[in-house]
Amino acid sequence: MKLTLIGPTYPYKGGIAHYTTLMYRALKARHEVTMVSYKLQYPKFLFKKEQKDYSNKSFCIEETQYLIHTANPFNWLSSARKLKKMKSDAIIIEWWHPYFAPCYYIMSLFFGKTKLLYLCHNVFPHERFFLDKFLVRLVLKRGDYFILHSKMEAKELLSIKKDAQYKVNVHPTYNVFQFQNMSKEKAREILGRGREEKLLLFFGFIRPYKGLSYLLKAMGILKRQEKLKKRKLLIVGDFAGTRREYENLIEENEIGEEVWIKDGYTPDREVEPYFAACDVVVLPYESATQSGIVQIAYGFEKPVIVTNVGGLPEVVEHKKTGFIVEPNNPKALAQSIDNFFEGQWGERLKKNIQAEAYRFSWDRMADVVEGFISSS
C-alpha cells in the first residue's frame, strides 16, 4: 500500500516523536510510506521550552518532509494540496491535543476520498479547557478509522462520533533506548548508586496528575515503619518550576537521604542508565489514558507499579507484569512497594514481560493499521 504518516519525528523530542518514528519503521518494512512532519510544531509563546533534540540521530528518518506549519493557515492549504497529490491509499495522523484541530480540520477538507486514520494517544487532553470537546469533535468526526490504546479512550471517542470505526490496541513497547545493553551493575556505577540498593524509578515530565506527591508520602510511610533500608527513589524528569513543592514533601516526610532528583529533560541517549539501574518503575498517576513510560520500562524488561486508572490496567497485569494499586492512596502504594521487594517479585515479573513481547510489538500495530486500510 501507499501510505502517508503525519506527526512529530526527529529532531522533535518526546514520547510521541519516538512513537511516530517506530510506527513509520514498522509500516515502511511492508509498504511505501511517506513521513510528513512539521516546519513548526508549537509557537514559542505556547511551548517555551526547547522542542528539538539533535543528540540522537538513531531516531532520524532521512526522507522526512517537514511540510506543516501548525500556526499558519496559508501553509495548511498548500500542505493539503501537496498531500493530496501524493495519492496515498490512506493518510495516518497522530492525534493527542486539540491545539492541532484547526490545522488538521482545514487540511482534511482537501483530502478528497483518501481514507483518514487517526492514531489517538489521547482523545481529549489531560488538562481539559473550554471548547476542547468542540475542537476535538470538529476534527475527529472527519476521520474514517481510529486506533486507540485503551478502552477509556474508545469510550471518549464514541461520545463524539457514535459510529466510529475503531480498534483498541495496547501501546507498543519503546525498546530503542538500549544503546549499550547496559547491565544493572554498570548503570549503577555510572549513577553512583550502590549494588545492594533497591531502586524505584519515577520518570518523565512532572505534572500534578502523575501523582508524585503520593509516592513521596508512601516513601514517608515506609520510613516511619522502618522499611526503607537500602530502598531509594530516583526521580528523573522536568519539574517545570514546581520542584520546591516536592522538596517540601521530601522534608516533611524526612526522606531526603532516600530520594535522588535529576531535574530537567533527559536526552534519548541518557535514558538507559536510569532504567537499567532500577528494580521497578512506579507510576502513581491520579488519571491516565495510557503511558509511554510503562512501555519504556517493558523495553528494559522492568516491572512496574501503577495505579488503577485509565488504560494502565489494560497494559499491566497484576502480579504478572507488575502491581496495580488504588490511586490517591499513599498507604496502599507503600504496601505494594514493600510487597514487591519482600516477595522478591522482580525476576518472576521480568519473565512474564518477556513472554508478552508480541502483544506489545510494533508488528502487531502494523497489522492493525493494515487490517483497516486493506478492507476499505
Side-chain angles (χ1 to χ4, degrees):
M1 294 185 290
K2 188 175 183 181
L3 307 173
T4 298
L5 177 61
I6 299 176
T9 187
Y10 175 91
Y12 289 103
K13 63 185 184 180
I16 296 176
H18 299 146
Y19 180 110
T20 306
T21 302
L22 296 173
M23 187 75 259
Y24 170 85
R25 290 175 181 171
L27 293 172
K28 184 69 173 178
R30 309 178 184 193
H31 306 287
E32 180 183 345
V33 186
T34 300
M35 181 69 240
V36 174
S37 194
Y38 310 114
K39 285 184 178 179
L40 179 139
Q41 182 174 221
Y42 299 114
K44 287 187 177 180
F45 75 89
L46 287 180
F47 196 94
K48 296 180 181 179
K49 293 182 177 293
E50 177 56 54
Q51 298 178 43
K52 297 179 180 179
D53 176 10
Y54 292 90
S55 65
N56 184 12
K57 289 193 174 182
S58 66
F59 282 98
C60 181
I61 301 171
E62 295 289 351
E63 56 270 30
T64 299
Q65 298 185 36
Y66 297 94
L67 294 180
I68 302 170
H69 189 301
T70 63
N72 184 342
F74 296 105
N75 171 272
W76 306 344
L77 300 176
S78 62
S79 295
R81 284 193 288 266
K82 290 176 183 177
L83 289 166
K84 186 177 181 180
K85 287 181 181 178
M86 293 177 186
K87 297 183 179 180
S88 300
D89 294 303
I91 294 173
I92 303 168
I93 298 180
E94 305 277 0
W95 174 260
W96 70 96
H97 199 280
Y99 164 75
F100 296 92
C103 171
Y104 289 155
Y105 173 74
I106 295 298
M107 288 176 62
S108 69
L109 296 176
F110 294 84
F111 291 163
K113 295 182 179 181
T114 304
K115 296 297 181 181
L116 183 55
L117 186 154
Y118 279 99
L119 295 173
C120 297
H121 299 267
N122 306 301
V123 173
F124 298 118
H126 289 297
E127 297 165 349
R128 302 296 299 271
F129 62 89
F130 179 63
L131 288 180
D132 64 357
K133 189 169 185 177
F134 167 78
L135 290 168
V136 173
R137 180 188 289 113
L138 183 74
V139 65
L140 293 191
K141 286 197 80 169
R142 295 193 58 79
D144 297 292
Y145 310 116
F146 302 86
I147 296 176
L148 310 107
H149 296 312
S150 74
K151 293 176 183 177
M152 185 184 82
E153 289 295 293
K155 185 177 180 180
E156 292 188 344
L157 174 63
L158 292 173
S159 75
I160 59 173
K161 188 176 172 67
K162 293 182 180 180
D163 60 345
Q165 295 188 56
Y166 72 91
K167 291 185 181 179
V168 176
N169 190 75
V170 292
H171 193 305
T173 297
Y174 290 133
N175 54 359
V176 291
F177 295 101
Q178 293 162 298
F179 298 104
Q180 302 178 47
N181 289 317
M182 195 176 291
S183 67
K184 180 184 288 187
E185 292 73 24
K186 180 62 176 178
R188 293 190 175 194
E189 179 184 330
I190 290 171
L191 298 177
R193 311 310 309 179
R195 291 191 172 209
E196 301 303 316
E197 289 182 346
K198 300 181 186 302
L199 296 183
L200 302 107
L201 174 64
F202 179 99
F203 187 92
F205 290 114
I206 315 296
R207 299 293 182 267
Y209 75 88
K210 293 191 175 181
L212 177 57
S213 60
Y214 296 104
L215 178 54
L216 295 175
K217 291 173 184 176
M219 295 290 287
I221 291 170
L222 292 170
K223 179 71 176 283
R224 291 189 291 276
Q225 295 175 346
E226 298 183 352
K227 292 183 177 180
L228 271 189
K229 187 176 181 181
K230 294 184 180 179
R231 297 179 189 178
K232 310 291 183 181
L233 170 62
L234 309 182
I235 301 173
V236 182
D238 188 340
F239 282 80
T242 63
R243 177 168 174 167
R244 186 61 216 166
E245 65 184 76
Y246 294 102
E247 289 178 333
N248 290 340
L249 276 173
I250 292 170
E251 292 172 9
E252 290 170 14
N253 287 278
E254 300 180 349
I255 52 174
E257 295 182 3
E258 287 78 25
V259 178
W260 182 80
I261 294 175
K262 191 267 185 182
D263 189 355
Y265 171 73
T266 303
D268 296 337
R269 288 193 172 274
E270 297 177 21
V271 168
E272 184 172 8
Y274 301 109
F275 282 87
C278 77
D279 294 294
V280 62
V281 181
V282 187
L283 293 85
Y285 291 7
E286 297 177 16
S287 63
T289 49
Q290 38 77 33
S291 175
I293 304 302
V294 171
Q295 300 306 336
I296 297 176
Y298 284 173
F300 283 93
E301 299 178 347
K302 298 291 180 175
V304 295
I305 298 174
V306 305
T307 45
N308 187 20
V309 296
L312 295 181
E314 296 175 41
V315 294
V316 180
E317 295 185 64
H318 187 57
K319 293 188 176 180
K320 186 174 181 182
T321 60
F323 282 14
I324 301 174
V325 62
E326 288 307 306
N328 311 331
N329 190 332
K331 186 176 180 180
L333 184 56
Q335 184 64 57
S336 188
I337 292 169
D338 189 47
N339 290 344
F340 175 83
F341 287 113
E342 289 301 311
Q344 299 181 339
W345 281 89
E347 283 301 313
R348 279 178 283 173
L349 299 179
K350 177 180 177 180
K351 290 178 182 178
N352 293 330
I353 292 167
Q354 292 169 337
E356 291 279 283
Y358 174 70
R359 180 174 175 236
F360 297 113
S361 71
W362 290 96
D363 280 340
R364 181 175 174 178
M365 269 292 293
D367 290 340
V368 175
V369 172
E370 286 178 351
F372 264 140
I373 300 170
S374 62
S375 64
S376 61

